[in-house]
Amino acid sequence: QVQLVESGGGLVQAGGSLRLSCAASGSILSINAMGWHRQAPGKQRELVAAIGSGGSTDYADSVKGRFTISRDNAKNTAYLQMNSLKPDDTAVYYCNFEVKVPGSPWYDTWGQGTQVTVSS
């Protein structure tokens, strides 16, 4: 019912920047929390950043001061601005929204992932 489509990943040199986008489509009544997670090869998926419906944000310690999460509620879209990228940031990045659609309770939905590769 709801699809999340990510974009903006790619290959960048260390110290560079990328901006990820995640747009939701479908019969959406409301979106609560929006989040970005990442999974590097051989590692567990981890929360990178999250933003609540009121705009409150939370970040993993490893990205504080470098990454910024934001949202555009009119567009049902979340963004992740990533600056001062490091090789350790290399991973597949997934967005995750808590959504409400007609006839269903709140549930989590995930994007398909976008690859971010940071070269040294």
Side-chain angles (χ1 to χ4, degrees):
Q1 288 177 309
V2 176
Q3 283 193 319
L4 302 186
V5 178
E6 297 137 340
S7 60
L11 173 64
V12 64
Q13 288 189 330
S17 298
L18 284 174
R19 188 191 194 211
L20 305 183
S21 299
C22 177
S25 62
S27 302
I28 301 168
L29 292 177
S30 186
I31 301 175
N32 192 9
M34 297 177 170
W36 287 95
H37 298 68
R38 67 186 180 187
Q39 187 165 19
K43 295 187 177 181
Q44 289 187 332
R45 189 174 297 190
E46 62 174 352
L47 177 65
V48 174
I51 184 166
S53 57
S56 61
T57 58
D58 190 27
Y59 296 94
D61 287 343
S62 59
V63 306
K64 282 180 181 177
R66 300 188 298 123
F67 290 11
T68 302
I69 189 171
S70 60
R71 63 190 289 165
D72 184 333
N73 292 326
K75 296 181 178 180
N76 290 334
T77 299
Y79 305 96
L80 186 68
Q81 178 66 43
M82 305 185 293
N83 298 329
S84 303
L85 283 161
K86 305 175 181 179
D88 284 349
D89 295 318
T90 296
V92 177
Y93 284 70
Y94 300 89
C95 59
N96 163 244
F97 289 4
E98 185 182 15
V99 301
K100 182 75 170 70
V101 300
S104 295
W106 288 93
Y107 68 95
D108 284 343
T109 189
W110 291 81
Q112 80 286 356
T114 185
Q115 177 70 45
V116 171
T117 303
V118 184
S119 63
S120 57

